[in-house]
Amino acid sequence: MPGATLPTFTIDQVESHNSAKSCYVTVGKNVYDVTDFLDSHPGGANLVLDWAGKDIGAILKDGASHTHSDAAYEVLDESLVGFLESGNGASANGKAKGGDNGTEEQWVHPRTGMSCEEDLSKDTDYNADYKTHKFLDLNKPLFMQIWTGGFSKDFYLDQVHRPRHYKGGESAPLFGNFLEPLSKTPWWLIPVVWWPPISYVVYVAFSGFGSVAPVAGYFGFGLCFWTLIEYIMHRFLFHLDDYLPDNRVAITAHFLLHGIHHYLPMDKYRLVMPPTLFVVLAAPFWKFAHAILFYNWYAATAAFCGGVFGYTLYDMTHYFLHHQNLPAYYKALKKYHLAHHFLDYENGFGVTSAFWDKIFGTELVYNTKTN
């Protein structure tokens, strides 16, 4: 369930779910429906029902009662049904009252392990992370670990969407050999590589029309159409999660294409698309543009250039959202996009704007004035 679209509950509503027919518990701000777990609880259903409608944060940590295994927390992760409303033991900035002493403890989203965008830039303890999750060791090249790890699709998707941060924002080793430099792309390479040929091909289109107006019109059409392509590719290619084949070839390809960005979202050199990869992805769109605007080669060429220019703006915007201090409008967009990483990776697919998210019902509901 996408975390940002789950409902909120008042304390009274949670407390009303206090029977074997419907048993809710809370941990801080999170609300869990553990009804289906009652009969499976090692201590019996009555032990859980004693805490029905209540916060179980303290009892989970109480070693004197009994130690709860990782499996108990996994059950909770799968049982999340919503969040407490602000003012009902939780505040709007994502902190929850922690107990009788009124202290506050940071709420952590169970699917990403993070509570706010600042967590994306906190260095990961490599050894502790590997010991806890048994996924990737950031001390070693990642490619062969993905290829030989034997990870199931479900485990891989769960882990790759729990962001990590390599020391100081540097790039984690991917190949560990001569291929390593080829896996890194600085953001400024995008305009340097693509704007000169775009300018030249636009000039070619202009020579066919002999007028600025039609070239500008088709270029603008391509630029606007790119925003839809951006949304479709991000949602259905980069996040094809449910349809990802459960084998190491597909998992490795997914990791190289987009998974590594969610795993290490603040890596400056694995954020924009390498030019060679873009050539492969862009080639079909050249044919697509000429199929749509088949009646005029120059029109299709101008539209294609507008689309490619839109891509360059997307890639640079994406980089700036992660790594630059931005004007007011872009600060809101920055918070929106970073929430896609730390809060809800199943919504918020628009990077340059949330327009298509609003159209297709995948807008990430997140208060950009908080956190």
Side-chain angles (χ1 to χ4, degrees):
M1 261 179 272
T5 60
L6 292 176
T8 57
F9 299 88
T10 64
I11 285 181
D12 289 342
Q13 287 175 322
V14 173
E15 290 177 346
S16 69
H17 294 268
N18 58 4
S19 69
K21 292 183 178 180
S22 181
C23 179
Y24 283 15
V25 296
T26 64
V27 178
K29 188 179 179 182
N30 294 4
V31 179
Y32 302 95
D33 181 355
V34 295
T35 309
D36 293 339
F37 178 65
L38 292 176
D39 293 335
S40 302
H41 187 264
N46 287 336
L47 187 59
V48 181
L49 289 172
D50 287 342
W51 289 88
K54 303 175 184 177
D55 190 299
I56 60 171
I59 194 66
L60 284 174
K61 299 175 182 177
D62 185 6
S65 172
H66 71 279
T67 303
H68 286 85
S69 66
D70 291 341
Y73 290 93
E74 291 175 2
V75 169
L76 285 179
D77 287 352
E78 295 171 357
S79 305
L80 182 69
V81 292
F83 306 101
L84 284 176
E85 286 185 353
S86 300
N88 290 282
S91 62
N93 65 357
K95 293 182 178 179
K97 292 181 180 179
D100 294 337
N101 59 6
T103 59
E104 291 187 341
E105 56 185 36
Q106 190 72 29
W107 168 76
V108 175
H109 195 282
R111 306 186 74 197
T112 63
M114 296 195 162
S115 59
C116 59
E117 64 189 61
E118 287 77 17
D119 287 347
L120 296 170
S121 298
K122 292 180 179 178
D123 287 352
T124 298
D125 183 327
Y126 309 158
N127 295 327
D129 179 69
Y130 182 70
K131 182 178 180 180
T132 300
H133 297 287
K134 301 294 189 297
F135 183 47
L136 300 179
D137 184 350
L138 284 167
N139 291 298
K140 302 174 182 178
L142 303 178
F143 175 78
M144 288 306 297
Q145 293 185 72
I146 286 287
W147 181 252
T148 63
F151 305 123
S152 69
K153 179 182 78 170
D154 290 341
F155 176 77
Y156 162 76
L157 291 173
D158 174 70
Q159 289 298 317
V160 84
H161 288 117
R162 293 178 178 268
R164 276 75 163 183
H165 186 63
Y166 199 70
K167 54 187 178 184
E170 298 179 12
S171 295
L174 181 59
F175 297 107
N177 54 31
F178 68 94
L179 293 174
E180 196 70 24
L182 301 178
S183 71
K184 302 176 183 178
T185 308
W187 74 268
W188 50 261
L189 196 63
I190 301 305
V192 167
V193 168
W194 295 116
W195 285 1
I198 290 173
S199 300
Y200 172 73
V201 179
V202 167
Y203 172 76
V204 171
F206 171 76
S207 68
F209 281 107
S211 174
V212 172
V215 175
Y218 284 113
F219 185 92
F221 168 76
L223 179 61
C224 293
F225 195 74
W226 159 258
T227 63
L228 177 59
I229 295 173
E230 169 196 318
Y231 174 86
I232 291 172
M233 290 184 66
H234 193 185
R235 181 178 179 182
F236 296 108
L237 177 60
F238 298 162
H239 283 272
L240 79 166
D241 301 2
D242 291 341
Y243 303 99
L244 184 70
D246 195 354
N247 61 65
R248 68 176 182 177
V249 174
I251 288 172
T252 302
H254 180 275
F255 185 76
L256 294 176
L257 182 64
H258 194 63
I260 192 172
H261 175 55
H262 273 264
Y263 185 64
L264 295 163
M266 304 308 287
D267 185 334
K268 294 182 179 180
Y269 296 104
R270 297 199 179 103
L271 200 157
V272 301
M273 190 177 295
T276 50
L277 177 58
F278 179 71
V279 168
V280 174
L281 293 178
F285 289 104
W286 169 264
K287 292 185 177 294
F288 179 72
H290 284 267
I292 296 296
L293 302 173
F294 60 91
Y295 55 85
N296 191 311
W297 187 91
Y298 296 104
T301 300
F304 177 77
C305 287
V308 174
F309 183 68
Y311 150 72
T312 65
L313 297 182
Y314 151 79
D315 240 355
M316 291 190 295
T317 299
H318 192 192
Y319 178 88
F320 295 148
L321 294 180
H322 278 261
H323 296 290
Q324 296 294 321
N325 190 19
L326 300 166
Y329 164 75
Y330 284 103
K331 283 183 178 178
L333 189 61
K334 178 186 181 87
K335 286 183 176 292
Y336 183 81
H337 177 66
L338 293 184
H340 170 73
H341 284 278
F342 82 82
L343 179 64
D344 184 6
Y345 55 85
E346 292 181 324
N347 284 303
F349 299 108
V351 174
T352 53
S353 82
F355 176 77
W356 293 109
D357 281 318
K358 295 175 181 178
I359 295 297
F360 293 114
T362 55
E363 184 179 9
L364 201 159
V365 181
Y366 174 59
N367 187 352
T368 58
K369 295 181 180 180
T370 62
N371 290 329

